[in-house]
Amino acid sequence: MAKFKEQLPYDLIKQFEELDLGATDMMEKMTRAGAEVVYEEIKKKLPKAFKKTDNLEKGLIITKTYKNAKEEIATKVGFYGYDTTRKTKQYPNGTPIPLIVLAREYGTSSGEKKIPILRPAFRKKKAIESAMLKVQDSYLPKE
């Protein structure tokens, strides 16, 4: 009876082990790089939609990279906090910045003009993908 035994080269096994150990770190940095592209695009579009952007820019942040319940790695770009210069009876501590931005993003029933800021930034798929691939290339072994 014939017998066959296959053994993978030690170099290949070592590469797989290194890739496995660095995969989570690589993916965290990849999502961060993609989020930074989106962040810069949103920051560019803010002056086109608002006259004063100081408080809004302070509210625009990139979150820490995290794993969600499905074990997917993600990094968020979003608006957080309050614009204290816009205090009203309804919002005595200031109007929530996400509310201000979404009112401009989609318009309002009271006639506020619709000026998309977020959606165009997320549509820059080639730039986002290219930033993520640069990070990936730095982790993968060169041949």
Side-chain angles (χ1 to χ4, degrees), residues 38-47 57 60 117:
V38 173
Y39 176 85
E40 291 301 322
E41 286 296 318
I42 292 172
K43 208 169 180 180
K44 276 187 219 171
K45 296 203 181 293
L46 273 178
E57 284 181 10
L60 177 62
I117 304 164

Side-chain angles (χ1 to χ4, degrees), residues 13-26:
I13 293 170
K14 189 168 174 107
Q15 279 182 350
F16 283 137
E17 286 174 351
E18 288 172 1
L19 284 175
D20 184 43
L21 294 175
T24 302
D25 184 48
M26 176 184 73

Side-chain angles (χ1 to χ4, degrees), residues 46 50 56 79 96-106 115 117-118:
L46 273 178
F50 297 97
L56 299 177
F79 288 93
I97 293 174
L99 180 67
I100 297 166
V101 174
L102 288 177
R104 189 58 52 98
E105 180 81 12
Y106 296 105
I115 303 173
I117 304 164
L118 303 172

Side-chain angles (χ1 to χ4, degrees), residues 69-120:
K70 296 179 182 178
E71 293 294 313
E72 298 167 335
I73 297 171
T75 306
K76 290 182 183 178
V77 177
F79 288 93
Y80 298 89
Y82 296 89
D83 185 353
T84 54
T85 62
R86 299 181 189 207
K87 293 182 179 183
T88 63
K89 188 184 274 187
Q90 186 177 7
Y91 301 109
N93 296 331
T95 308
I97 293 174
L99 180 67
I100 297 166
V101 174
L102 288 177
R104 189 58 52 98
E105 180 81 12
Y106 296 105
T108 62
S109 60
S110 62
E112 189 167 331
K113 189 177 173 186
K114 173 180 170 178
I115 303 173
I117 304 164
L118 303 172
R119 289 175 287 165

